[in-house]
Amino acid sequence: MISEAKKETQRQGMLQLGLLAAGHLPIFFAIFFTLMLSTSYVLAVWHGDIDPVFPYISYSGDHRPESCIFSMMLNLCSFLIMLIIYLRYSLVVELNRDSDRLLKRMNTFACAIGMLGGVGMFIVANFQETAVITVHLTGAFLCFGCGCFYMLLQFCLTIYMYPLYNNRRIGFIRGAIALSATLCFVTVISFGVAASVEFHKHHPDLPTPRPWSRKINQP
């Protein structure tokens, strides 16, 4: 009994993260991620390394010194997002307590997909596009693809857990965010491929610009 009570206390402490509370982690993630994006973008535009009009995130962290800030802060963000995913998994485990096997399997699967997305973010942070393009793109697809899939899974989990553990409104909110993110992901890929095809129509002898720019002459 004492052992079980101790384990219960440890689980609750992990979910709450002491006085700080785990609910602050998504806020910290959003702050750090926004700082990373804005700082690397401003530095990249300032040094003339990217086109200021809608550049890809990776392009703003492709040259020094902005690449140093990009890698450092994105590594921190990848750690935070994996911690958030694990805490969400632990919360559902705590609520479910193995009473629903389908919920347990869905939760485990969602956690695995989310962790893959976090690993993809870690890969993007440490393998710049112009350095190792294949590894970088693999990490990007893992990050955004698994990230969108994870959000869709969380939407399904939330709806499935209604009405015992949450209300339906939060499920609809998560669903709207997940669908918006998925639409943006598909749009970015589609426009990127279309831009590359259009570029090679006019300049068939030139390689695809990396980073993409309206300038014709690329190194």
Side-chain angles (χ1 to χ4, degrees):
M1 293 293 293
I2 297 177
S3 177
E4 288 296 326
K6 185 176 181 180
K7 290 181 180 179
E8 179 71 17
T9 303
Q10 289 176 347
R11 283 197 295 264
Q12 292 180 356
M14 183 62 184
L15 290 173
Q16 295 175 358
L17 290 184
L19 297 176
L20 188 60
H24 290 79
L25 284 177
I27 299 175
F28 290 152
F29 171 80
I31 292 173
F32 286 131
F33 195 76
T34 303
L35 283 174
M36 180 273 297
L37 290 178
S38 57
T39 304
S40 58
Y41 172 79
V42 169
L43 286 174
V45 172
W46 180 266
H47 288 92
D49 294 329
I50 62 170
D51 193 305
V53 181
F54 297 116
Y56 281 110
I57 296 174
S58 301
Y59 293 164
S60 62
D62 203 50
H63 295 83
R64 290 185 293 270
E66 56 266 21
S67 63
C68 303
I69 298 175
F70 179 86
S71 296
M72 179 181 65
M73 298 193 72
L74 196 57
N75 278 321
L76 177 60
C77 288
S78 65
F79 169 76
L80 285 176
I81 199 65
M82 285 191 282
L83 179 59
I84 292 169
I85 290 168
Y86 176 74
L87 289 174
R88 169 62 179 170
Y89 165 80
S90 300
L91 175 62
V92 176
V93 168
E94 187 69 20
L95 292 173
N96 185 37
R97 294 179 180 271
D98 294 332
S99 61
D100 190 324
R101 291 187 177 182
L102 178 58
L103 179 59
K104 180 181 179 181
R105 292 173 182 173
M106 291 173 62
N107 187 39
T108 303
F109 181 65
C111 181
I113 295 298
M115 289 297 179
L116 277 177
V119 171
M121 184 180 291
F122 182 77
I123 293 173
V124 169
N126 294 281
F127 292 88
Q128 280 76 33
E129 184 174 11
T130 53
V132 192
I133 180 63
T134 304
V135 178
H136 181 87
L137 289 180
T138 301
F141 274 96
L142 276 177
C143 177
F144 293 105
C146 291
C148 291
F149 191 26
Y150 175 78
M151 287 189 284
L152 290 171
L153 288 172
Q154 287 300 321
F155 161 64
C156 295
L157 269 175
T158 305
I159 296 299
Y160 183 79
M161 293 170 68
Y162 170 83
L164 291 178
Y165 305 112
N166 49 246
N167 58 50
R168 187 174 291 177
R169 184 179 64 177
I170 189 64
F172 291 149
I173 293 174
R174 287 174 177 168
I177 295 173
L179 290 175
S180 299
T182 304
L183 179 62
C184 289
F185 178 58
V186 173
T187 301
V188 166
I189 294 177
S190 302
F191 275 86
V193 173
S196 179
V197 171
E198 187 67 21
F199 178 84
H200 287 295
K201 283 182 181 179
H202 298 281
H203 310 286
D205 298 328
L206 293 178
T208 302
R210 302 191 186 281
W212 179 264
S213 174
R214 288 173 292 181
K215 300 177 183 178
I216 295 178
N217 297 322
Q218 295 287 330

